[in-house]
Amino acid sequence: MKNKNGSTLMIVMLVFTLFALLATGLSILFFMNLKVRINSIDERALMMELSDDVYRYLNENEKALEAGNEEFDDYLVEVSIVDDTYKIVFQHSKNEKIKAEIIVKYQDEIYEIISWGNG
Amino acid sequence: MKSTSKGFTLTEVLVSVAIAGILVVAVATFFIRYQRLNNRFLVKENMLTEIENVYELYTGSPASFPENLNKYFDLDLASSDKLYYDSNFQKRATASKNYLELEYGYIEYGYNEGKYRLKITPYYQGEIVTFTDKTYFLREIRVGGQNEE
């Protein structure tokens, strides 16, 4: 398959192979980028849902909390008493990145959130 | 056909063009699919950012949420049942008391029995968009006597 000038079909095939490899490499990179974005969207949405659930948890507790661990929907809730405030750790049972640590104060039968830390 | 000593034969050219065609179609299909997914995620990211902004307005001060919402979207929600159009005469928002419909979803809010309530249902182009297993985000904040309406 060689002509007089020395060009072969192999060169054309090599170019195609390189093109195919480049396209494969790019597609892997692009899909990895998509995967990272999907995870980021999921985490942001779950964090918003977690904060909604923290408010719901506090709304449902009309009495002063007691120290200890309990389950609340999909979360593990750890309550500890620090001085006259409560430290509450909300941990999603399926995703360890979905976590919030809040410090609340119980006053006039409602909880006032003093600080909020995510992750 | 008399064979020449220069260049490729017709068969070689045809095979090369066929392989190139298959590769180009495969790559083009992939990029079109990628572009569609990318646009979908972009819409979702924009929605989340918008919902986070509305949540921030609400959580910081639930009692003055309607006024802050007015300022944020530059609307007048005090009057009921109004349609809002942008400068291109495209419908921008539908608002009534305690309800606002936007390009990215509806916002419902209110106050009942010591609790402020904000419900956001994300939708895009007539379809509800889900982020978790729920179709909406709901935040209720219980307040004490001095903060009540």
Side-chain angles (χ1 to χ4, degrees):
Chain A
M1 285 212 213
K2 207 169 190 177
N3 63 30
K4 272 193 173 175
N5 289 335
S7 63
T8 65
L9 189 63
M10 288 303 285
I11 294 171
V12 179
M13 289 304 167
L14 192 68
V15 171
F16 285 168
T17 312
L18 284 174
F19 178 73
L21 284 175
L22 190 72
T24 312
L26 273 177
S27 56
I28 290 170
L29 275 177
F30 279 23
F31 266 108
M32 275 169 68
N33 172 40
L34 282 185
K35 183 85 184 147
V36 169
R37 285 176 67 187
I38 293 170
N39 288 344
S40 140
I41 289 171
D42 283 351
E43 273 175 24
R44 280 173 69 188
L46 282 171
M47 283 308 292
M48 280 168 63
E49 201 174 276
L50 175 134
S51 53
D52 288 347
D53 290 332
V54 168
Y55 279 101
R56 193 158 55 86
Y57 175 79
L58 294 176
N59 290 343
E60 285 178 12
N61 278 294
E62 292 183 347
K63 297 183 291 185
L65 291 165
E66 288 176 10
N69 298 331
E70 63 173 311
E71 283 185 18
F72 179 74
D73 290 350
D74 291 338
Y75 305 95
L76 300 170
V77 184
E78 188 188 321
V79 180
S80 51
I81 299 169
V82 184
D83 299 328
D84 59 339
T85 59
Y86 298 92
K87 184 183 171 192
I88 307 172
V89 180
F90 252 76
Q91 170 71 65
H92 198 280
S93 53
K94 288 171 193 160
N95 188 339
E96 61 181 25
K97 282 186 183 172
I98 308 303
K99 184 181 177 184
E101 281 187 28
I102 56 170
I103 294 176
V104 296
K105 195 171 186 177
Y106 186 64
Q107 214 170 14
D108 300 330
E109 297 182 346
I110 60 158
Y111 289 95
E112 183 191 347
I113 297 170
I114 296 168
S115 78
W116 190 301
N118 287 334
Chain B
M1 195 166 74
K2 190 182 172 185
S3 81
T4 56
S5 57
K6 279 189 179 178
F8 300 120
T9 65
L10 183 64
T11 317
E12 286 169 347
V13 171
L14 284 177
V15 169
S16 306
V17 169
I19 294 173
I22 291 167
L23 282 175
V24 166
V25 168
V27 170
T29 310
F30 164 76
F31 278 102
I32 289 167
R33 212 174 137 209
Y34 171 79
Q35 200 59 36
R36 276 189 196 151
L37 283 172
N38 196 39
N39 288 343
R40 218 169 78 190
F41 293 140
L42 200 64
V43 167
K44 278 191 147 189
E45 281 168 339
N46 288 342
M47 268 182 177
L48 271 181
T49 305
E50 200 65 15
I51 294 168
E52 280 167 353
N53 290 342
V54 172
Y55 260 11
E56 203 170 310
L57 285 178
Y58 170 74
T59 309
S61 175
S64 45
F65 177 66
E67 294 88 63
N68 292 336
L69 198 66
N70 274 353
K71 281 184 205 156
Y72 182 70
F73 288 112
D74 195 21
L75 299 171
D76 175 19
L77 300 178
S79 313
S80 61
D81 299 326
K82 276 191 172 179
L83 289 175
Y84 294 88
Y85 293 86
D86 65 12
S87 53
N88 295 320
F89 296 100
Q90 295 292 313
K91 192 172 88 169
R92 189 175 148 213
T94 310
S96 63
K97 198 172 185 294
N98 299 339
Y99 177 83
L100 177 66
E101 187 181 331
L102 297 157
E103 190 189 354
Y104 285 131
Y106 358 95
I107 298 172
E108 294 160 80
Y109 54 93
Y111 176 81
N112 190 25
E113 294 175 358
K115 261 193 243 174
Y116 287 98
R117 186 173 191 269
L118 172 69
K119 184 178 173 187
I120 302 177
T121 309
Y123 81 87
Y124 186 67
Q125 292 181 341
E127 279 183 28
I128 289 179
V129 178
T130 52
F131 289 92
T132 60
D133 54 350
K134 287 180 187 165
T135 54
Y136 57 84
F137 291 98
L138 174 69
R139 180 166 297 181
E140 289 182 320
I141 299 179
R142 193 152 58 92
V143 290
Q146 61 196 24
N147 295 325
E148 284 181 22
E149 271 184 343

